[in-house]
Amino acid sequence: MAQSCINKISDFLWKQGDPPISILESPKLTSEKLFILRVVGLVISVIGWILMLVVDGSNHFIYLTYWGVYASVALFALLLFQHKKYEKYQSESPQSGDGAVRDVEIAEEKSHPYSYTLLWKWTVVFYECTVAMSLMIGFVYWVSLFSPSITTIRLIASIFVHGVIQICWIAEFWADRIPFYRHHYWVFLTIGVIYLVWNAIWSLAMYPVYGDFTTWTDFLTLIFVLGALIMATLSFFLLECLYRKKLSRVEGKTDEANASAEDGREMTNLKKDGSNANL
């Protein structure tokens, strides 16, 4: 029964035509520069995490911002781990380039088609949820929660976790080829609902997490929650749309490069034929 449920979940999340992804692939940067970008993202996420611990202490886990910061630290670390793992595959493979990595991923997928331990599957879902959540958190904070009267240390921490980390994810999204799949939205929404339930439990039992916005006893909470869910949805599908556009541009350039290479080979062959005819 458990295996059957796992298979169904896998079939839902990984539809036919969703191939394994390569962490090393970037249409913009070399592998080395992409690695450096991810190191910077991890360092900034850790700095933001430390600053917010100093500001909020032990109750930090009640804020969605922290969920986003923890996810950012974990995901950048995961990307770096896989980056080095796939570089090792490349160095050991007789084939060169991203093809070596892709061959290993496809072989893993074929040998374990329903495995929930395949790291690339977790990476894709984790990436989609973290990037969409991070951008939504930054937008909602600066639009509705930011107060200019906060202390200097809190302002610095807020800039890091509601601005600088988001810039890192925008840069990562610009550079990589990790996909956004529309049918993974339901995973993202489920995480959002889990947080809202946790927020409601804490707000009703202790004190409102976000002040008057989350008392869970009046109409303002309903407006805030619906607005946050709408922003989260827009964030996810905007990134999914941008990914499709990015992918189409990359594939268009690849097709154009292949066509140019084919034209070059044809011209070379024609010149050879002409030379042979003259002889």
Side-chain angles (χ1 to χ4, degrees):
M1 178 65 71
Q3 187 62 42
S4 176
C5 291
I6 291 171
N7 293 353
K8 288 180 180 179
I9 293 172
S10 181
D11 286 339
F12 174 75
L13 291 177
W14 307 104
K15 302 180 185 297
Q16 187 175 7
D18 292 348
I21 54 94
S22 176
I23 300 300
L24 294 182
E25 287 185 10
S26 171
K28 306 288 185 180
L29 303 176
T30 63
S31 176
E32 291 77 13
K33 290 181 179 178
L34 184 61
F35 184 83
I36 293 172
L37 176 65
R38 289 166 173 169
V39 170
V40 171
L42 177 61
V43 170
I44 288 175
S45 297
V46 170
I47 291 173
W49 170 54
I50 293 172
L51 285 172
M52 290 302 286
L53 281 177
V54 172
V55 169
D56 291 315
S58 60
N59 289 339
H60 63 273
F61 56 87
I62 65 177
Y63 300 107
L64 185 61
T65 293
Y66 270 96
W67 289 39
V69 172
Y70 282 136
S72 293
V73 172
L75 181 55
F76 273 123
L78 178 61
L79 290 173
L80 288 170
F81 168 76
Q82 290 203 76
H83 198 112
K84 284 300 181 183
K85 169 187 171 184
Y86 292 146
E87 279 187 343
K88 184 172 181 290
Y89 285 163
Q90 278 188 341
S91 64
E92 295 176 351
S93 173
Q95 194 176 165
S96 61
D98 290 326
V101 178
R102 183 59 58 87
D103 285 349
V104 172
E105 292 172 317
I106 292 175
E108 288 179 346
E109 172 67 9
K110 287 182 177 178
S111 60
H112 305 286
Y114 292 115
S115 176
Y116 50 87
T117 61
L118 289 179
L119 202 52
W120 73 265
K121 289 185 175 182
W122 286 106
T123 301
V124 171
V125 176
F126 195 18
Y127 174 86
E128 293 165 324
C129 294
T130 300
V131 177
M133 177 170 60
S134 181
L135 296 184
M136 183 273 292
I137 287 171
F139 181 84
V140 171
Y141 175 80
W142 294 112
V143 169
S144 61
L145 298 174
F146 172 71
S147 171
S149 60
I150 59 177
T151 62
T152 301
I153 184 64
R154 182 175 287 276
L155 177 61
I156 294 172
S158 294
I159 290 173
F160 259 89
V161 299
H162 299 113
V164 182
I165 290 178
Q166 283 71 16
I167 292 173
C168 290
W169 283 123
I170 291 172
E172 169 69 31
F173 180 81
W174 167 81
D176 67 33
R177 290 193 65 181
I178 302 176
F180 263 77
Y181 293 127
R182 191 170 300 174
H183 47 280
H184 289 175
Y185 166 73
W186 301 107
V187 179
F188 180 57
L189 183 62
T190 300
I191 295 173
V193 171
I194 290 172
Y195 173 75
L196 289 175
V197 171
W198 167 238
N199 185 296
I201 292 172
W202 181 276
S203 296
L204 293 171
M206 304 295 291
Y207 54 84
V209 175
Y210 294 116
D212 294 338
F213 289 110
T214 54
T215 61
W216 293 92
T217 59
D218 56 24
F219 191 65
L220 182 59
T221 298
L222 177 62
I223 294 175
F224 181 78
V225 168
L226 289 177
L229 288 174
I230 290 172
M231 285 307 308
T233 301
L234 290 176
S235 175
F236 187 93
F237 284 106
L238 174 62
L239 289 167
E240 190 265 345
C241 180
L242 290 174
Y243 166 72
R244 288 179 180 273
K245 289 184 178 297
K246 177 173 67 173
L247 185 63
S248 64
R249 283 200 302 270
V250 171
E251 290 178 342
K253 289 180 180 179
T254 302
D255 292 341
E256 186 177 322
N258 291 337
S260 298
E262 184 64 29
D263 290 342
R265 284 192 294 269
E266 289 181 0
M267 288 297 295
T268 301
N269 291 334
L270 287 173
K271 288 178 180 179
K272 287 182 179 179
D273 291 342
S275 298
N276 292 336
N278 290 333
L279 292 173

